[in-house]
Amino acid sequence: MIARNSSVAEFVLAGLMDQPELQMPLFFLFLGFYVFTVVGNLGLITLIGLNSHLHTPMYFFLFNLSFIDFCYSTVITPKMLMSFVSKKNIISYAGCMTQLFFFLFFVVSESFILSVMAYDRYVAICNPLVYTSSMSPQVCLILLLVVYGMGFVGAMAHTACMVRLTFCANSLIDHYMCDILPLLERSCTSTYVNELVVFIVVGIDIGMPTVTIFISYALILSSIFHIHSTEGRSKAFSTCSSHIIAVSLFFGSGAFMYLKPSSLLPMNQGKVSSLFYTIVVPMLNPLIYSLRNKDVKVALKKTLNKKSFS
């Protein structure tokens, strides 16, 4: 459905870059990234679902993290791949707004699921005696509803503000997806309200999870220093470092993209920044959060052995 105040029926996505000799190599590169993302996240989802000893709060949230990564990578990457093989990558107005909504929904959900995972680790390490009651199934469900609820509110706020704009006849979007800032550049009307919403909503969606993560890990590190066992400290530090690396990539690239005035951030740099949280992070999360985890390795070996025996 085309908004009444929109003067365009479709947009043209410029893609990642306009160098013809690099189009096919980049197509196969990002196709490989996408296949790895799909296999990694769906494999992790299947592994957690099949192994009952992984049915704990930690892996419940990891299950949802993999689901979110798979979904928002699928919202972006297939359309991005088309820009490498087609002369004119067209997306309808309705398709663009739909892509924008679901992209924002899953990205905001990811930021909050990461903070919930940090809180889960805080309870497990700092208050192990009350972990079962503090992270009961009811509490986990409530936290998950908050995660997806914040995702929905954030996506609706941005999308509702976007559909009220009138876009110019020049419908070329200098990006590989329908993102907020590239769309604002195509507007013929004032974008002051949209920019205000970006700073407020994105500030909340990045600020609240970031504060939660920093507080959680500050308390975790304080507890680690009181662990007398060298092995225990090493294991805890390993878990924290993996999470912090992934969080830094995701929140750092998001903040760099959205919390800087557009005049200070050329769109080409914005595209590179976007690659981190749309392509790289969903691909790396299965490795960062699971393959370095002993329980997941054991579950994978058991599952493979069962299939071999069958």
Side-chain angles (χ1 to χ4, degrees):
M1 181 182 298
I2 302 173
R4 291 181 181 177
N5 61 339
S6 175
S7 58
V8 298
E10 59 187 25
F11 295 100
V12 178
L13 297 173
L16 188 61
M17 58 180 60
D18 57 357
Q19 298 178 9
E21 68 277 6
L22 295 178
Q23 298 301 308
M24 290 311 296
L26 287 175
F27 171 81
F28 288 108
L29 175 65
F30 287 106
L31 177 62
F33 285 169
Y34 180 62
V35 171
F36 192 90
T37 300
V38 171
V39 172
N41 285 290
L42 290 185
L44 188 55
I45 288 171
T46 304
L47 194 65
I48 294 173
L50 292 177
N51 291 271
S52 57
H53 73 280
L54 295 181
H55 295 174
T56 63
M58 174 182 175
Y59 295 104
F60 172 73
F61 295 125
L62 183 57
F63 179 99
N64 281 276
L65 175 67
S66 294
F67 171 74
I68 291 169
D69 282 335
F70 165 73
C71 287
Y72 90 73
S73 180
T74 300
V75 168
I76 298 301
T77 311
K79 195 63 180 173
M80 174 189 179
L81 292 174
M82 289 183 62
S83 66
F84 295 123
V85 295
S86 60
K87 292 183 179 179
K88 201 173 183 181
N89 188 16
I90 297 174
I91 184 170
S92 67
Y93 178 89
C96 187
M97 294 301 113
T98 301
Q99 185 188 59
L100 176 68
F101 174 82
F102 282 105
F103 163 65
L104 293 171
F105 172 74
F106 288 116
V107 166
V108 175
S109 297
E110 170 128 348
S111 69
F112 280 92
I113 199 75
L114 288 172
S115 65
V116 168
M117 292 175 73
Y119 172 73
D120 172 71
R121 291 298 83 204
Y122 153 72
V123 178
I125 295 174
C126 300
N127 298 291
L129 297 180
V130 298
Y131 181 75
T132 303
S133 59
S134 297
M135 300 301 295
S136 64
Q138 293 79 10
V139 173
C140 291
L141 181 59
I142 292 173
L143 290 174
L144 191 64
L145 290 175
V146 171
V147 166
Y148 289 120
M150 293 300 295
F152 179 80
V153 171
M156 278 298 297
H158 290 298
T159 308
C161 287
M162 194 64 67
V163 298
R164 57 179 284 276
L165 297 178
T166 299
F167 294 97
C168 302
N170 180 12
S171 59
L172 177 66
I173 299 177
D174 188 17
H175 213 285
Y176 57 83
M177 63 178 181
C178 290
D179 202 356
I180 298 172
L181 300 183
L183 280 170
L184 293 182
E185 290 188 345
R186 299 272 66 86
S187 174
C188 294
T189 51
S190 173
T191 60
Y192 174 77
V193 174
N194 297 70
E195 292 172 3
L196 187 62
V197 169
V198 167
F199 277 95
I200 294 175
V201 177
V202 175
I204 293 173
D205 293 338
I206 291 180
M208 286 179 60
T210 301
V211 170
T212 302
I213 290 169
F214 270 106
I215 293 176
S216 297
Y217 274 108
L219 296 173
I220 287 172
L221 290 175
S222 177
S223 297
I224 288 175
F225 289 133
H226 291 87
I227 298 176
H228 299 292
S229 169
T230 304
E231 183 180 352
R233 283 188 179 185
S234 177
K235 184 178 179 180
F237 272 121
S238 177
T239 303
C240 293
S241 62
S242 298
H243 193 191
I244 290 173
I245 290 171
V247 166
S248 299
L249 283 174
F250 180 80
F251 285 102
S253 57
F256 187 73
M257 179 69 182
Y258 292 107
L259 296 183
K260 268 190 160 187
S262 56
S263 59
L264 298 180
L265 182 62
M267 190 50 62
N268 286 336
Q269 293 184 26
K271 293 180 187 180
V272 175
S273 178
S274 298
L275 286 176
F276 279 94
Y277 62 85
T278 58
I279 307 294
V280 177
V281 172
M283 180 182 66
L284 293 181
N285 276 343
L287 294 173
I288 295 173
Y289 289 102
S290 62
L291 295 185
R292 294 183 63 184
N293 186 293
K294 184 178 179 180
D295 292 335
V296 173
K297 288 181 180 179
V298 171
L300 180 60
K301 288 180 181 179
K302 286 183 178 179
T303 303
L304 293 177
N305 289 336
K306 285 180 181 179
K307 289 186 176 180
S308 299
F309 181 75
S310 301

